[in-house]
Amino acid sequence: MDTIATVTAVQRDRYELNIGTEILYGKLKPAVFYHNAEEVLFPTVGDRVSVMRNADGDSMILRVLQRKSVFIRQNATQGMPDQAVAANFDFVFITMSLNKDFHPSKLERYLTVSWQSGGTPVILLTKADLAEDREDIPARIEGLAPGVETYCVSSHTGEGFEKLEKYFAVGNTIVLLGSSGVGKSSFVNMVLGTERMQTGGIREADSQGRHTTTFKQMFDIPEKIVLPDGCVLRGGGRIIDTPGMRNLLMGEEAGGIGTTFEDIEKLAAQCKFSDCRHESEPGCAVKRALKDGTLEQRHWKMYLNLQREEAYSKERKQILMKKAGKRKRR
Ligand SMILES: Nc1nc2c(ncn2[C@@H]2O[C@H](COP(=O)(O)OP(=O)(O)OP(=O)(O)O)[C@@H](O)[C@H]2O)c(=O)[nH]1
Ligand SMILES: [Mg+2]
Ligand SMILES: [Zn+2]
């Protein structure tokens, strides 16, 4: 008989599985997951899977249950199926450090993939204790991500954590996303109240992170979160730490770009021609706004970039599907 488990960690080809009462280890059933390029079916952290228990060894993962949200990353090996990064989360904490240069385009990219993932984005600005005269960043975010909740925290002092209590509640799963070195694992450690994740330094020369976290892992948040100042928050939910990563793929889900770039879509609706390509057509509201400065060049370029990526992503998926179909028929 099979059992339903939640994947809490993936280390190479071995999966840590929580069945509520105990932790099991599982492996994939050979061949079953390999022919499904139309959907990324390799299980990942957060996935619910059905497993066949094996009394004297690793259990067998039979299948992945329907996901309510997922992040997908392009496989570094060409021709191999893309990889699911995390699944079934409710909130995506887009993590950026207040003491490094703030990159609006990076934020726009994260916002778009977050809206597409099926989770709700929340912006987490870390290292508040190091930030001097960076007060303008929250204001700039307000303009870039209207309606997205933004918080400043310090995982060294505990500052700002009390405002996040509602996200830590039972039934919620948070996934942290952001570049290496921004403080994702430090945040997780503060929430868990122990140094469960190793944290690393930043290379001084280029202020790049060191990729301290190398695999993703899900943790149960304790029922009581005790902050350094003695303040106690209610927890009970779950949190997923991930390695800092690039090449997150644009999803299929429509609406991600439209939500992040609502201002541009509204402008485009005012163009004289409904099929305006915003190139040289007369009566183009986008061109007008770019000219008079009400639409920022950088913001517009990012919109075009992400649209191109989305189209590419769809095309790529179709190619992979065709390939998988051929393999299956052999
Ligand atoms: N001053 C200060 N330093 C912090 C804070 N949060 C993290 N750091 C430091 O920033 C460095 C990187 O933190 P990590 O938590 O390892 O960063 P990460 O995002 O998990 O990085 P990867 O695992 O490489 O993706 C460490 O030296 C931390 O001590 C903070 O709130 N304040
Ligand atoms: Mg880390
Ligand atoms: Zn136009």
Side-chain angles (χ1 to χ4, degrees):
M1 212 193 66
D2 53 346
T3 310
I4 301 299
T6 303
V7 177
T8 48
V10 183
Q11 288 178 21
R12 290 170 187 273
D13 59 347
R14 202 148 181 253
Y15 292 76
E16 186 185 89
L17 306 166
N18 187 337
I19 58 166
T21 47
E22 62 182 302
I23 301 290
L24 305 177
Y25 290 88
K27 293 227 159 132
L28 297 182
K29 197 172 162 190
V32 168
F33 297 94
Y34 295 82
H35 302 294
N36 285 294
E38 68 268 36
E39 238 214 289
V40 184
L41 279 182
F42 287 104
T44 190
V45 169
D47 263 323
R48 295 184 11 98
V49 293
S50 93
V51 295
M52 194 161 66
R53 296 193 63 168
N54 178 358
D56 30 61
D58 282 346
S59 299
M60 187 81 86
I61 299 174
L62 302 174
R63 84 195 158 86
V64 181
L65 306 193
Q66 179 79 36
R67 293 166 174 145
K68 69 174 177 185
S69 56
V70 66
F71 272 119
I72 296 164
R73 180 185 194 206
Q74 191 173 335
N75 199 316
T77 315
Q78 242 201 344
M80 289 300 285
D82 296 327
Q83 299 162 321
V85 174
N88 297 324
F89 43 83
D90 302 282
F91 299 102
V92 182
F93 278 23
I94 299 172
T95 314
M96 299 181 120
S97 155
L98 272 167
N99 82 319
K100 275 207 269 177
D101 280 337
F102 172 70
H103 302 293
S105 300
K106 207 179 228 181
L107 176 62
E108 282 162 352
R109 172 180 296 274
Y110 277 128
L111 277 171
T112 306
V113 290
S114 299
W115 286 121
Q116 289 186 331
S117 73
T120 303
V122 172
I123 299 167
L124 187 70
L125 299 169
T126 58
K127 311 195 188 182
D129 55 304
L130 294 180
E132 289 162 22
D133 47 84
R134 292 295 169 129
E135 286 80 18
D136 64 315
I137 293 180
R140 281 166 73 193
I141 287 176
E142 183 69 40
L144 286 169
V148 179
E149 296 210 34
T150 303
Y151 300 90
C152 297
V153 298
S154 164
S155 302
H156 281 190
T157 66
E159 177 195 337
F161 276 72
E162 72 288 347
K163 298 204 185 80
L164 295 166
E165 189 174 26
K166 62 178 174 191
Y167 299 107
F168 300 139
V170 182
N172 284 346
T173 300
I174 298 168
V175 63
L176 289 156
L177 221 57
S179 307
S180 179
V182 296
K184 299 178 296 297
S185 301
S186 305
F187 181 86
V188 168
N189 287 343
M190 176 63 84
V191 171
L192 299 182
T194 59
E195 302 290 308
R196 285 292 294 278
M197 291 300 294
Q198 199 192 331
T199 59
I202 301 257
R203 286 196 305 261
E204 284 303 327
D206 52 6
S207 78
Q208 294 293 305
R210 294 169 188 270
H211 294 282
T212 306
T213 304
T214 52
F215 54 87
K216 47 224 172 188
Q217 192 158 5
M218 183 195 252
F219 300 98
D220 287 330
I221 300 173
E223 263 152 48
K224 279 183 184 166
I225 303 167
V226 185
L227 300 179
D229 66 357
C231 177
V232 179
L233 309 179
R234 210 176 311 176
R238 286 168 158 174
I239 191 161
I240 302 173
D241 193 7
T242 64
M245 62 187 92
R246 299 203 187 109
N247 58 12
L248 275 180
L249 280 183
M250 299 289 294
E252 291 279 284
E253 210 61 46
I257 292 181
T259 314
T260 312
F261 297 90
E262 202 186 346
D263 53 341
I264 293 180
E265 308 239 309
K266 273 194 188 141
L267 258 181
Q270 293 165 23
C271 292
K272 186 170 170 197
F273 299 107
S274 60
D275 61 349
C276 184
R277 284 167 303 146
H278 324 302
E279 282 164 9
S280 53
E281 292 88 342
C284 174
V286 171
K287 281 277 170 211
R288 200 185 316 130
L290 282 170
K291 208 166 171 190
D292 70 19
T294 42
L295 174 59
E296 199 195 331
Q297 277 288 348
R298 190 207 55 76
H299 187 58
W300 170 243
K301 287 222 173 93
M302 193 62 198
Y303 173 75
L304 295 179
N305 279 347
L306 291 176
Q307 265 191 336
R308 221 172 291 133
E309 276 180 38
E310 189 178 57
Y312 169 74
S313 187
K314 277 189 189 140
E315 207 175 296
R316 207 179 114 77
K317 207 166 184 188
Q318 269 162 4
I319 293 168
L320 282 171
M321 262 163 75
K322 266 194 202 144
K323 260 194 187 167
K326 267 187 209 145
R327 238 182 284 158
K328 226 184 256 176
R329 266 180 262 119
R330 247 186 242 154

